[in-house]
């Protein structure tokens, strides 16, 4: 367990965690096995629910963790095995509004935090740099786990959430019992990002380049433009998901966070090498730039209708996962996997916990 004092060292004042990070790159664990419990029983089947069966969380909480006051939803028994569900952009905790009760019914303690710059998560100090580089967001979740006294958890996410879960699994595998990662291996190598993609792929990333301009920053700074831009992204990356106005508006309130625009702009500019991070996190970024392998039990999910899904049925990132592993493709599903296919997502969590 990393205490708050140790977290501060991990953020740039000490060397222990950096050493632990490097050990995560060594050794290859056992090959994949079918998801079964320690007694040999098969994993339970998660009930099928229609997307949108739930619209809210019963318990919304806040806790100080690291440099943040983190808002989060919680479901399930307080002493159950922990699952932390991580959203992306432009999304929020409601991506897991149907997943959480499914997992809670299986006995899991489900934690769904708002990432920095979203919803009720706020900075403790106005002086803190609004940094959104990848290692910082991962450290937010480590700090949250410490604050909640969660030693280990299944991490399950998509978009920014997949990247964050991948990083924690790579650098702090002792904190992760299993990983569910939509789109597979998303750890960013900033230098590699400078290499052009095929034109069709570049087209899908239009907003990344938009945000690198002053015009894009101004669009995100304007509340109405930000709202409309986020809805347009929903429509284009989830072409088969027929969400209604109320569904989008429940999430759109998370974009009213006063730091939302700054966090989103910094995240995408940093990925392209157009914005600096903080030097105290260089040690993590240097390790992540080597594309470290992930050794914890993992299930990767590809969404067939997600324009960001790489071709090859997971082959492009298969070598990054060297532990127990399964890959699944969700047909007819777009980018927001947990909200579009909650039962399949929840089943992956249950199954990875038994790999």
């Amino acid at each position: 367990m990393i205490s708050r004092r140790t977290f501060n060292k991990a953020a740039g004042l000490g060397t222990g965690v950096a050493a632990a990070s490097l050990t995560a790159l060594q050794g290859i664990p056992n090959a994949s096995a079918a998801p079964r419990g320690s007694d040999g029983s098969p994993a339970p089947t998660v009930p099928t629910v229609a997307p949108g069966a739930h619209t809210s969380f019963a318990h919304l909480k806040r806790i100080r963790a690291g440099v943040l006051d983190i808002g989060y939803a919680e479901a399930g028994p307080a002493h159950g095995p922990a699952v932390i569900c991580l959203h992306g952009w432009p999304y929020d905790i409601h991506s897991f509004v149907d997943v959480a009760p499914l997992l809670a019914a299986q006995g899991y303690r489900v934690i769904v935090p708002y990432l920095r710059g979203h919803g009720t998560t706020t900075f403790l100090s106005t002086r803190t740099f609004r940094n959104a580089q990848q290692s910082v967001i991962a450290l937010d979740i480590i700090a949250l786990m410490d604050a909640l006294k969660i030693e280990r958890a299944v991490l399950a996410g998509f978009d920014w959430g997949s990247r964050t879960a991948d990083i924690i699994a790579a650098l702090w595998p002792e904190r992760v019992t299993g990983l569910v990662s939509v789109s597979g291996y998303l750890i960013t190598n900033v230098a590699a990002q400078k290499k052009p993609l095929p034109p069709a792929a570049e087209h899908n990333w239009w907003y990344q380049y938009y945000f690198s301009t002053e015009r894009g920053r101004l669009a995100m700074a304007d509340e109405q433009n930000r709202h409309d831009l986020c809805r347009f992204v929903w429509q284009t990356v989830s072409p088969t998901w027929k969400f209604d106005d109320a569904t989008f508006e429940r999430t759109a309130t998370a974009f009213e966070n006063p730091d939302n625009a700054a966090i989103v702009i910094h995240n995408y500019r940093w990925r392209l090498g157009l914005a600096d991070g903080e030097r105290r996190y260089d040690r993590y970024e240097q390790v992540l730039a080597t594309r470290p392998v992930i050794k914890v039990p993992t299930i990767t999910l590809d969404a067939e209708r997600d324009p960001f899904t790489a071709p090859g049925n997971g082959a492009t990132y298969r070598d990054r996962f060297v532990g127990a592993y399964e890959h699944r493709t969700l047909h007819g599903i777009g980018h927001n996997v947990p909200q579009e296919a909650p039962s399949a997502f929840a089943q992956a969590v249950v199954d990875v916990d038994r790999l």
Side-chain angles (χ1 to χ4, degrees):
M1 182 74 68
I2 299 178
S3 66
R4 181 167 297 179
R5 181 168 62 88
T6 307
F7 170 81
N8 290 334
K9 289 183 179 181
L13 303 178
T15 59
V17 176
S21 301
L22 293 173
T23 63
L25 309 184
Q26 301 171 2
I28 298 177
N30 296 329
S32 177
R36 290 183 174 272
S38 58
D39 60 356
S41 61
T45 300
V46 173
T48 300
V49 299
H54 302 83
T55 59
S56 63
F57 291 93
H59 303 288
L60 296 175
K61 303 180 179 182
R62 297 181 71 159
I63 192 168
R64 288 192 170 197
V67 301
L68 301 173
D69 186 324
I70 296 180
Y72 66 99
E74 182 167 355
H79 299 292
V83 176
I84 300 177
C85 297
L86 301 170
H87 69 81
W89 180 86
Y91 305 96
D92 80 330
I93 63 173
H94 288 89
S95 288
F96 301 98
V97 72
D98 290 321
V99 168
L102 290 172
L103 293 175
Q106 297 293 333
Y108 290 98
R109 180 189 183 189
V110 186
I111 305 295
V112 190
Y114 284 108
L115 298 186
R116 57 172 55 196
H118 293 76
T120 57
T121 290
T122 57
F123 286 86
L124 297 177
S125 172
T126 57
R127 296 187 299 274
T128 302
F129 174 49
R130 273 35 179 179
N131 186 348
Q133 68 185 101
Q134 61 182 354
S135 59
V136 170
I137 299 174
L139 284 164
D140 289 344
I141 303 307
I142 292 290
L144 175 64
M145 293 175 70
D146 289 346
L148 294 174
K149 296 180 170 55
I150 295 173
E151 185 173 356
R152 302 178 73 213
V154 172
L155 300 183
F158 75 108
D159 197 88
W160 291 20
S162 289
R163 179 173 296 104
T164 301
D166 289 351
I167 290 168
I168 297 172
L171 299 187
W172 297 280
E174 70 278 4
R175 306 302 297 269
V176 183
T177 55
L179 170 68
V180 175
S181 184
V182 175
S183 304
Y185 191 90
L186 294 185
I187 295 175
T188 298
N189 181 324
V190 174
Q193 287 278 93
K194 297 177 181 179
K195 182 179 179 180
L197 298 171
E202 297 283 26
H203 175 266
N204 292 331
W205 284 108
W206 65 270
Y207 55 83
Q208 179 170 251
Y209 308 118
Y210 186 42
F211 293 160
S212 70
T213 69
E214 178 64 7
R215 183 172 177 143
R217 188 194 68 78
L218 290 173
M220 282 295 288
D222 180 88
E223 185 174 330
Q224 188 61 53
N225 281 344
R226 181 167 67 246
H227 173 281
D228 295 348
L229 186 153
C230 291
R231 179 161 186 145
F232 181 71
V233 172
W234 275 38
Q235 292 167 339
T236 55
V237 302
S238 293
T240 59
W241 183 31
K242 306 304 180 185
F243 61 89
D244 58 19
D245 291 344
T247 298
F248 176 76
E249 295 303 332
R250 279 189 289 271
T251 287
T253 60
F255 311 145
E256 297 170 8
N257 184 296
D259 296 308
N260 184 260
I263 289 297
V264 173
I265 293 295
H266 185 263
N267 179 280
Y268 287 103
R269 289 185 178 183
W270 176 85
R271 289 196 218 175
L272 292 177
L274 301 176
D276 292 332
E278 294 178 87
R279 292 190 64 181
R280 57 180 171 156
Y281 302 114
D282 285 354
R283 65 185 64 184
Y284 306 111
E285 300 300 345
Q286 289 165 2
V287 175
L288 295 173
T290 69
R291 300 184 75 238
V293 296
I294 291 174
K295 301 187 294 184
V296 305
T298 299
I299 293 178
T300 56
L301 302 175
D302 274 354
E304 180 194 29
R305 298 303 303 276
D306 180 357
F308 303 116
T309 294
N313 198 29
T316 58
Y317 51 74
R318 176 64 185 91
D319 65 337
R320 296 298 87 197
F321 299 97
V322 297
Y325 177 82
E326 287 189 11
H327 175 77
R328 300 173 183 179
T329 296
L330 304 181
H331 297 284
I333 301 300
H335 189 69
N336 187 0
V337 169
Q339 201 161 1
E340 296 181 58
S343 294
F345 190 90
Q347 187 68 59
V349 171
V350 171
D351 290 346
V352 82
D353 198 27
R354 289 172 171 248
L355 276 183

